Amino acid sequence: MIIVITPEELVQNETEIINALFQEGLDLLHIRKPFIHSDEMRDFIQKIHSEFHHRLVLHSHYDLAESFNISRLHFRETDRQDELYKSFTDKTISTSVHNIETFNELSDDWEYAFISPVFPSISKKGYGKDSNILNAIKNRNNSNVKLIALGGIHEKNINKVVSSGVDGMALLGAIWENDNPLQIFRRCRQNVLS
């Protein structure tokens, strides 16, 4: 499974790129736009072809899910601890963790969890440079929740992630910090499939 996460800030032609990514075989898109208000979010989602709405995951503005036939929601670590997710029992939910011990304790309420940073981050300079997560994944003992690697993944290191035993990977900086996001996505996907 390959997931793409949007950048926090709006990017020029972002929804056109997103539609093209889905046409190239993108599994899921996480919409992470913490700084936009509800009307901007509604406008953003409307520009994504409706045939892909069931593959969108909201990180905020959960109230818009019903209007757009979105059945997937993502909850940050703090939201998980506040048990905010428990009021969305009809949705498929995911979350984020930063170590394998926390992942191993997740209940089967969660479809999957991002674990990060696997490599030094592309979008957050300096973040994750001393990460040992890829090595720690071998201590995984929770088979009820899928494990998705996140952080610093690009076409040259994605094979290391594939062979680490995770269930998928999430791309952010590799896609959005690049002049040709579609080409990068194709290369990453090709490397995963080969």
Side-chain angles (χ1 to χ4, degrees):
M1 173 168 24
I2 299 183
I3 295 170
V4 168
I5 303 173
T6 65
E8 291 188 347
E9 304 293 338
L10 292 165
V11 170
Q12 191 173 359
N13 302 324
E14 189 172 351
T15 51
E16 289 91 334
I17 294 166
I18 288 166
N19 285 319
L21 287 170
F22 276 126
Q23 285 159 348
E24 288 289 332
L26 175 63
D27 294 305
L28 296 172
L29 178 86
H30 276 244
I31 302 178
R32 191 167 141 251
K33 300 283 183 199
F35 308 118
I36 68 175
H37 56 73
S38 201
D39 290 342
E40 288 173 302
M41 180 64 95
R42 182 179 295 279
D43 186 51
F44 184 84
I45 296 169
Q46 280 173 335
K47 290 178 182 166
I48 298 170
H49 298 163
S50 59
E51 72 209 67
F52 304 129
H53 286 181
H54 70 285
R55 287 155 59 187
L56 299 177
V57 184
L58 295 179
H59 280 231
S60 62
H61 303 88
Y62 302 134
D63 56 310
L64 294 176
E66 295 308 317
S67 321
F68 291 103
N69 196 26
I70 296 172
S71 62
R72 296 172 170 278
L73 307 177
H74 186 85
F75 295 90
R76 297 171 311 157
E77 205 152 12
T78 54
D79 298 328
R80 188 176 69 245
Q81 289 154 352
D82 295 343
E83 298 194 340
L84 174 67
Y85 66 91
K86 289 197 170 177
S87 55
F88 295 98
T89 51
D90 61 327
K91 301 291 182 205
T92 301
I93 56 173
S94 58
T95 190
S96 301
V97 299
H98 299 287
N99 60 64
I100 200 67
E101 294 77 20
T102 305
F103 173 81
N104 285 335
E105 292 169 7
L106 289 175
S107 71
D108 59 6
D109 293 331
W110 305 98
E111 183 188 12
Y112 59 87
F114 292 141
I115 189 163
S116 70
V118 177
F119 298 113
S121 174
I122 297 167
S123 55
K124 295 181 191 167
K125 301 297 174 225
Y127 180 64
K129 64 180 172 53
D130 299 322
S131 174
N132 188 34
I133 286 177
L134 209 56
N135 190 38
I137 287 172
K138 66 177 179 276
N139 298 318
R140 172 187 185 180
N141 62 23
N142 183 344
S143 58
N144 297 319
V145 181
K146 291 182 188 132
L147 185 61
I148 308 295
L150 167 65
I153 301 169
H154 52 74
E155 79 268 23
K156 290 183 176 74
N157 65 16
I158 201 164
N159 287 340
K160 281 186 196 166
V161 179
V162 172
S163 61
S164 72
V166 296
D167 302 298
M169 56 279 319
L171 306 172
L172 200 166
I175 300 295
W176 302 108
E177 305 269 322
N178 195 287
D179 293 336
N180 195 335
L182 222 53
Q183 184 180 25
I184 294 300
F185 177 77
R186 277 189 206 116
R187 284 188 199 146
C188 287
R189 190 164 183 270
Q190 194 58 50
N191 288 351
V192 168
L193 295 174
S194 62

